[in-house]
């Protein structure tokens, strides 16, 4: 690559390369993407994204990780909140963002939950504080329990509706310290 033939005010450089003009985008001193005629042709991932580990799901969602990478999180909302998970980055619109199985990322890609064993409801962002209504998040976990088994860890789960158990769910395992608290006159499960 020869010297840049153009530099703009945002720090983007254009280089004359064999097949045409490529834009090399540099963010905070690091190469971040390569474009040709304003079409992105490559993304350069920062070193911290290559490690594949993020504190929370929100940290991963807002990162520029690319399709094919496998990442882990230490929690859903906060570190060690029980919602740690493993995900593979897939292309846009691979699935529907349900808060767990698929999550839309800021860069347009999606995170797909890798399930190996029982589905822990906490990887769907379910709260266990006994205060936050967790009905819809719990239902999403049941709807996408690909392994057929749902696991409900320790905590107090506020339910203000009915959780419909799909036919593919063959087992619901709850910790002995898990409390499902119904705040309506409906049964918890149907």
């Amino acid at each position: 690559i020869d010297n840049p033939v153009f530099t703009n005010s945002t720090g983007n450089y254009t280089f004359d390369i064999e097949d045409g003009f490529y834009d090399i985008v540099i963010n905070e001193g690091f190469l971040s993407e390569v474009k040709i005629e304003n079409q992105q042709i490559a993304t350069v991932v920062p070193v911290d994204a290559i490690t594949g580990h993020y504190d929370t799901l929100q940290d991963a969602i807002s990162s520029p990780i690319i399709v094919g990478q496998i990442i882990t999180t230490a929690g859903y909302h906060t570190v060690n909140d029980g919602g740690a998970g493993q995900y593979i980055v897939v292309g846009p619109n691979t699935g529907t963002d349900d808060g767990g199985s698929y999550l839309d990322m800021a860069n347009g890609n999606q995170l797909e939950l890798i399930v190996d064993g029982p589905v822990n409801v906490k990887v769907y962002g379910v709260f266990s504080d006994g205060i936050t209504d967790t009905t819809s998040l719990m239902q999403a976990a049941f709807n996408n329990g690909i392994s057929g088994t749902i696991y409900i860890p320790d905590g107090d789960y506020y339910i203000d509706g009915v959780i419909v158990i799909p036919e593919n769910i063959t087992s619901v395992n709850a910790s002995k310290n898990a409390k499902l608290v119904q705040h309506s006159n409906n049964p918890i499960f149907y």
Side-chain angles (χ1 to χ4, degrees):
I1 300 175
D2 292 328
N3 291 327
V5 293
F6 173 75
T7 305
N8 69 19
S9 61
T10 61
N12 295 339
Y13 299 88
T14 302
F15 294 86
D16 186 7
I17 305 176
E18 289 179 30
D19 296 30
F21 288 94
Y22 293 74
D23 291 327
I24 309 295
V25 181
I26 298 175
N27 289 323
E28 297 180 20
F30 296 99
L31 179 66
S32 64
E33 62 185 310
V34 180
K35 297 179 180 183
I36 184 169
E37 296 178 7
N38 289 324
Q39 295 293 317
Q40 183 172 339
I41 60 168
T43 298
V44 179
V45 181
V47 173
D48 63 349
I50 294 171
T51 64
H53 182 76
Y54 296 87
D55 286 342
T56 66
L57 199 51
Q58 188 56 49
D59 293 338
I61 287 170
S62 60
S63 295
I65 46 183
I66 58 174
V67 172
Q69 286 190 289
I70 295 176
I71 62 108
T72 59
T73 61
Y76 193 97
H77 302 287
T78 59
V79 173
N80 297 325
D81 65 2
Q86 186 175 33
Y87 302 85
I88 185 167
V89 181
V90 294
N93 304 314
T94 300
T96 302
D97 185 339
D98 60 8
S101 295
Y102 291 94
L103 299 119
D104 294 336
M105 298 178 63
N107 66 4
N109 292 329
Q110 290 186 309
L111 292 175
E112 180 181 353
L113 179 65
I114 297 172
V115 177
D116 183 23
V119 173
N120 181 340
V121 297
K122 293 271 190 138
V123 298
Y124 281 80
V126 170
F127 290 93
S128 60
D129 59 9
I131 299 167
T132 308
D133 181 10
T134 192
T135 309
S136 63
L137 299 171
M138 184 84 71
Q139 184 66 63
F142 274 78
N143 289 347
N144 297 291
I146 335 173
S147 69
T149 303
I150 299 293
Y151 174 65
I152 304 171
D154 291 355
D156 296 339
Y157 299 90
Y158 175 94
I159 306 293
D160 194 19
V162 177
I163 306 295
V164 177
I165 302 177
E167 289 181 18
N168 67 308
I169 300 301
T170 57
S171 177
V172 177
N173 300 324
S175 160
K176 68 178 183 173
N177 294 317
K179 297 176 190 166
L180 302 177
V181 182
Q182 177 61 281
H183 288 272
S184 70
N185 291 327
N186 298 318
I188 292 177
F189 295 110
Y190 177 76

